Amino acid sequence: MDAKIHIEQLRQQINEFNRQYYLEDNPTVPDAEYDRLFRELKQLEEEHPDLLVADSPTQRVGAAPLEKFQQSKHLQAMLSLDNLFNFQDLQAFCKRILDRLKQDIAIEFVCEPKMDGIAVNLLYENGLLKTAATRGDGATGEDITQNIKTIQAIPLKLQGKNHPQRIEIRGEVYIPLAGFDAINKQAREHGTKEFANPRNAAAGSLRQLDSSITAQRKLTIFTYGIGFCSDENFAQTHAQILDHLKSWGMPVCPEIKVESDINGCETFYQNILNKRATLPYEIDGVVIKVNDLKLQQQLGFVARAPRFATAYKFPAQEEMTLLEDVEFQVGRTGALTPVARLQPVHVGGVTVSNATLHNMDEIERKDVRIGDTVIVRRAGDVIPEVVSVVMQKRPPNAKQITMPAQCPVCQSEVFRAESEAVTRCTAGLYCKAQRKEALKHFASRKALDVDGLGDKIIEQAVDLDLVHDPADLYAVTLQQWAGMDRMAEKSAQNVLDALQASKETTLPRFLFSLGIREVGETTAHNLAQHFRNLDALMQADHDALIAVDDVGVVVAENILHFFAEPHNRNVIDKLIAQGVHWPVIEAPSAESQPLAGKNFVLTGTMSTMGRDEAKAKLIGLGAKVSGSVSKNTDYLVAGEKAGSKLKKAQELGVKVIDEDALVNLLSVYVSV
Ligand code: IVH
């Protein structure tokens, strides 16, 4: 074949694969095939240097590192946005617009997620990417063309026809959360500094003089507007601009919506705020823009921000505050967790006065000291954490944090295994902190499910020295329960009834309730199915244990260790003597296990039945239910608001079914 035609075909094919992969999230060929075509093209271009063109996919990488960035002047200034934080401000924004226009008309707005990344300006001439620059001071930025070319989602050549001869396309380069985690994992492995957030990671990756480093980072882009455009009349509305961008192959955020008034904008804001935790990228608010470009022009600008657009920010997720002290909390397994006591600060919509410091390695890595000013982060429902120290504000007397030599609760010795990042109190159930947590676990919903026996009551029962182990719970009398704070005769009777009812349980629940380290609900279930009675499990040796699904060397050791402890055996005997019992587990038959060998993953919110219930039913039918999607997954059940797992399943070509389909499937075998 003619080399010229062959090269052209390869380029077209590679560009098409890029488009499927980066724009549609729908790769159609394996990576190996893509790489093969890419190498073939590269070789042909080497053999025919005269056929090389600037927009060939091979030209994305391989440029020599720069000494420094050149300056690049934008054809039209890159402005910033004013911020607002609540609905009242939004009403005021709208009123200012109407006042300025001196007419009372309905105004349409485009609502867009505010991407938390780095603004860039992409200049296309005759459809080809000419230069790319950072925002800089708004008038002039840094020329980062080489780095931008490594971002596969950005077309080197615009698709379609009819693009303006010269156009600046504006957008936000960002790192999806998965890519961010990967960079930081690598940094940890190499002992280099981690990035504090995806925005910093994007900025750090984009401002590399050596574009081969940028190429390794999973950067991508959403475009959201234009700057200079040689064709002044190519769109009447902002929504039309976005449609053009899409038709040229530029990524545009799929969440963007046109709303007919500010109430619609408010709903958009609330909806996207709720959805935020499931999005695969970081956003820090919503950008609201007047849709009609004529109105935009009439409204114009103040200082460096347009009057026709605004940022409606989410409550800040990071704030600065003072680290007043560090205390160590003792968890169920005895782990001592350092907890920061902070000067209270408003962050992520709530007041935070405690934050986790994870463990001593983290403290060392972040070099946190008492007296430091620290950055606290609270994202969604996760536990607030100390992200980093503001070193400029460190006082001379900042105090090093040290692990106590004794348990702060029971004064027993603490121990840190060489292979572990955590230090533990060695006292087991003798330590009141561990005992409280063990009892809470024992009574919890997925364990023996003692309804009405709340955390506060358990804590009192331990403080009053009424219970030393879970079996003692069954010996506490009505009077003793009733004598506790916030308890009356009626609630005490409820606790007694719930304890009585909890005696009728199942072997998986019982095993889970014992709180053996790393034996979660699924492992407990697998152990129960495998051994079918408690004695067989207690007599199992290492080899017998690792034969069980999901049980590895570490879990097997934990189980052996647990049952070797006379104290634990004694508690089990006492529980059985108190009347705790469970039905015999029948050997599974093929009919009772119709889903044997099938792997399920559940994600999103389910309305007919909860996720736990669905999981239990699937396991009951022999299926395996795991937490993450892999190529071994047979079905992903996607409920409402399914997020990254759904995306992954689609990427891997895993079969996705919705909740109705699951209910149908289950109803063939069991009542749902
Ligand atoms: S429009 C004149 N739309 O926010 C208006 N900006 O605070 C220019 N940003 O520098 C910006 N997502 O880096 C616009 N959908 C979006 C955005 C967005 C993120 C960033 C951008 C800009 C900053 C302004």
Side-chain angles (χ1 to χ4, degrees):
M1 196 195 309
D2 182 349
K4 189 167 177 201
I5 299 177
H6 192 185
I7 285 181
E8 205 34 58
Q9 279 177 349
L10 284 169
R11 284 179 189 154
Q12 263 179 26
Q13 198 150 51
I14 291 170
N15 283 335
E16 176 61 13
F17 290 152
N18 271 345
R19 204 179 56 77
Q20 289 167 348
Y21 191 97
Y22 292 99
L23 279 179
E24 295 174 358
D25 275 334
N26 180 28
T28 54
V29 288
D31 290 356
E33 170 67 4
Y34 177 94
D35 294 344
R36 200 183 59 71
L37 294 177
F38 194 89
R39 278 196 304 271
E40 195 178 337
L41 174 60
K42 216 163 161 167
Q43 188 172 352
L44 277 172
E45 285 177 344
E46 272 163 26
E47 289 165 10
H48 303 273
D50 52 315
L51 297 177
L52 189 59
V53 290
D55 65 322
S56 168
T58 58
Q59 297 310 293
R60 289 186 182 273
V61 280
L66 302 172
E67 295 277 320
K68 67 178 186 65
F69 291 112
Q70 298 298 318
Q71 298 283 299
S72 174
K73 200 164 160 32
H74 311 310
L75 298 178
Q76 193 175 95
M78 288 179 82
L79 301 163
S80 62
L81 293 169
D82 283 336
N83 293 329
L84 50 87
F85 294 92
N86 54 51
F87 186 58
Q88 270 165 358
D89 294 350
L90 181 61
Q91 285 172 311
F93 164 75
C94 188
K95 183 164 183 306
R96 278 197 303 276
I97 288 179
L98 292 175
D99 288 352
R100 183 113 198 143
L101 294 173
K102 296 202 181 70
Q103 44 184 333
D104 196 12
I105 47 168
I107 295 191
E108 242 180 28
F109 295 98
V110 180
C111 296
E112 308 177 356
K114 187 168 189 302
M115 303 303 300
D116 204 5
I118 305 300
V120 294
N121 185 28
L122 311 173
L123 175 64
Y124 283 83
E125 282 186 3
N126 300 316
L128 291 182
L129 177 62
K130 179 90 188 307
T131 47
T134 58
R135 179 171 178 277
D137 63 5
T140 308
E142 284 175 327
D143 184 327
I144 49 162
T145 313
Q146 282 312 335
N147 293 347
I148 284 293
K149 280 188 172 174
T150 69
I151 302 175
Q152 305 281 349
I154 299 179
L156 300 178
K157 183 177 177 200
L158 298 178
Q159 282 169 25
K161 297 213 168 59
N162 302 331
H163 355 86
Q165 189 263 329
R166 229 172 166 213
I167 184 168
E168 288 181 316
I169 297 179
R170 306 271 163 90
E172 196 89 346
V173 168
Y174 67 95
I175 291 200
L177 294 171
F180 172 70
D181 292 342
I183 295 183
N184 272 354
K185 185 163 170 261
Q186 210 178 25
R188 274 196 300 277
E189 280 164 13
H190 294 164
T192 52
K193 200 166 155 19
E194 288 179 47
F195 288 108
N197 55 48
R199 194 190 128 78
N200 289 352
S205 304
L206 211 47
R207 294 198 68 263
Q208 291 284 341
L209 291 166
D210 181 354
S211 65
S212 71
I213 299 179
T214 314
Q216 292 161 20
R217 310 280 171 83
K218 301 264 181 258
L219 292 169
T220 182
I221 193 169
F222 276 141
T223 51
Y224 49 63
I226 58 172
F228 173 84
C229 178
S230 55
D231 175 359
E232 281 181 10
N233 297 318
F234 93 112
Q236 269 72 55
T237 62
H238 180 66
Q240 284 172 5
I241 293 180
L242 297 178
D243 284 340
H244 280 301
L245 293 176
K246 270 188 261 184
S247 74
W248 299 337
M250 300 299 307
V252 173
C253 179
E255 308 291 338
I256 295 178
K257 274 199 179 136
V258 178
E259 298 289 350
S260 52
D261 56 25
I262 52 167
N263 291 321
C265 298
E266 177 67 16
T267 309
F268 180 90
Y269 173 90
Q270 295 298 343
N271 287 345
I272 206 93
L273 182 56
N274 288 334
K275 205 173 169 182
R276 182 186 199 181
T278 64
L279 292 173
Y281 43 80
E282 191 98 64
I283 62 176
D284 60 350
V286 167
V287 180
I288 297 174
K289 304 172 179 174
V290 170
N291 194 17
D292 188 318
L293 298 181
K294 273 219 190 71
L295 294 183
Q296 283 198 4
Q297 216 169 12
Q298 280 179 46
L299 287 162
F301 306 88
V302 250
R304 300 179 57 205
R307 287 200 190 86
F308 55 80
T310 189
Y312 188 177
K313 298 281 286 271
F314 293 147
Q317 292 190 303
E318 286 186 4
E319 282 299 343
M320 238 166 44
T321 189
L322 191 69
L323 174 62
E324 292 178 333
D325 199 4
V326 171
E327 285 171 21
F328 287 83
Q329 240 165 32
V330 186
R332 176 162 68 83
T333 59
L336 267 63
T337 306
V339 179
R341 303 288 178 220
L342 306 165
Q343 204 168 67
V345 60
H346 204 69
V347 44
V350 300
T351 303
V352 169
S353 42
N354 302 310
T356 181
L357 284 159
H358 300 292
N359 55 50
M360 290 311 279
D361 286 353
E362 286 272 312
I363 291 181
E364 217 165 282
R365 211 166 44 72
K366 294 175 182 161
D367 187 16
V368 185
R369 301 187 195 172
I370 296 167
D372 269 338
T373 296
V374 292
I375 294 179
V376 184
R377 181 177 170 82
R378 180 185 175 275
D381 293 332
V382 299
I383 304 168
E385 61 167 350
V386 171
V387 183
S388 58
V389 174
V390 185
M391 285 299 170
Q392 301 91 309
K393 291 186 178 263
R394 169 165 289 170
N397 61 347
K399 206 173 119 208
Q400 292 272 5
I401 300 163
T402 49
M403 176 57 75
Q406 285 162 345
C407 169
V409 176
C410 73
Q411 274 69 49
S412 302
E413 221 172 281
V414 299
F415 174 74
R416 175 174 175 174
E418 245 168 63
S419 58
E420 281 199 79
V422 285
T423 301
R424 293 176 201 275
C425 161
T426 52
L429 288 185
Y430 296 106
C431 170
K432 280 194 175 175
Q434 289 186 62
R435 200 190 308 162
K436 285 174 186 172
E437 296 311 311
L439 290 166
K440 287 176 197 171
H441 174 77
F442 178 83
S444 67
R445 202 168 48 80
K446 291 178 185 173
L448 284 219
D449 192 17
V450 189
D451 209 15
L453 189 60
D455 290 358
K456 291 276 170 284
I457 306 168
I458 291 177
E459 283 168 18
Q460 287 185 65
V462 170
D463 289 335
L464 292 168
D465 246 348
L466 293 174
V467 266
H468 298 98
D469 61 48
D472 290 345
L473 285 172
Y474 294 99
V476 179
T477 64
L478 183 71
Q479 283 71 26
Q480 285 171 324
W481 289 123
M484 293 183 195
D485 266 1
R486 282 192 279 180
M487 289 284 273
E489 183 114 355
K490 173 132 192 336
S491 38
Q493 186 59 50
N494 288 345
V495 169
L496 274 190
D497 292 347
L499 277 163
Q500 188 59 30
S502 75
K503 291 179 183 175
E504 194 168 317
T505 188
T506 65
L507 182 54
R509 277 178 178 276
F510 183 75
L511 291 177
F512 176 65
S513 79
L514 296 175
I516 305 169
R517 207 183 290 169
E518 286 176 64
V519 175
E521 212 192 347
T522 307
T523 310
H525 182 89
N526 293 345
L527 288 167
Q529 286 303 323
H530 187 94
F531 293 103
R532 304 218 303 280
N533 71 67
L534 183 61
D535 283 338
L537 168 61
M538 288 173 70
Q539 281 155 28
D541 62 10
H542 182 90
D543 289 348
L545 287 169
I546 58 171
V548 180
D549 257 0
D550 273 350
V551 175
V553 177
V554 176
V555 177
E557 282 309 309
N558 289 343
I559 296 169
L560 286 173
H561 197 253
F562 184 89
F563 289 123
E565 190 69 57
H567 172 76
N568 290 334
R569 286 176 172 266
N570 183 32
V571 172
I572 292 171
D573 290 345
K574 273 170 69 183
L575 283 167
I576 293 170
Q578 287 285 1
V580 175
H581 65 281
W582 50 86
V584 176
I585 298 183
E586 302 290 345
S589 63
E591 293 114 76
S592 71
Q593 303 277 287
L595 299 181
K598 294 279 179 250
N599 290 307
F600 283 74
V601 174
L602 307 176
T603 189
T605 318
M606 313 226 162
S607 44
T608 322
M609 60 180 119
R611 281 233 296 265
D612 290 339
E613 192 185 339
K615 181 174 171 182
K617 292 211 157 98
L618 285 167
I619 292 175
L621 293 168
K624 260 177 103 171
V625 179
S626 54
S628 56
V629 177
S630 75
K631 59 181 190 323
N632 296 327
T633 309
D634 294 297
Y635 294 96
L636 176 84
V637 184
E640 294 266 314
K641 294 191 191 159
S644 58
K645 288 184 193 173
L646 175 57
K647 206 164 160 225
K648 175 116 191 252
Q650 287 162 343
E651 272 169 22
L652 292 173
V654 167
K655 192 166 167 60
V656 177
I657 62 174
D658 63 9
E659 188 181 351
D660 288 346
L662 175 71
V663 171
N664 280 339
L665 173 74
L666 291 174
S667 64
V668 176
Y669 307 109
V670 287
S671 60
V672 281

